[in-house]
Amino acid sequence: MSKIQIKVNDNGSLRITGDVELLDGEGNVYTTKPSFSLCRCGQSKNKPFCDGSHKGNFESQVRVPKED
């Protein structure tokens, strides 16, 4: 099984890379590509996918906490 990667993009989407199955709340399967982006800002007209609507209207830079 290959490793799936989810990247939290600064001021943007969640970038998903790998062989994943994306389901809605009823268990219906979305058609996806090997790499796609999910909306994090709530402004996309193509939810759950990112359509770039966040540009200039969403700020979030999440980082892994540094261990002491």
Side-chain angles (χ1 to χ4, degrees), residues 43-64:
Q43 299 176 53
S44 176
K45 308 270 187 290
N46 190 29
K47 291 181 195 96
F49 302 102
C50 176
D51 68 1
S53 294
H54 63 272
K55 291 182 181 157
N57 298 309
F58 179 71
E59 291 184 22
S60 179
Q61 294 182 347
V62 180
R63 297 291 185 268
V64 175

Side-chain angles (χ1 to χ4, degrees), residues 6-24:
I6 302 172
K7 181 180 179 191
V8 182
N9 288 317
D10 288 350
N11 306 318
S13 65
L14 295 172
R15 187 70 178 168
I16 315 296
T17 304
D19 186 21
V20 299
E21 185 174 54
L22 180 63
L23 309 173
D24 70 11

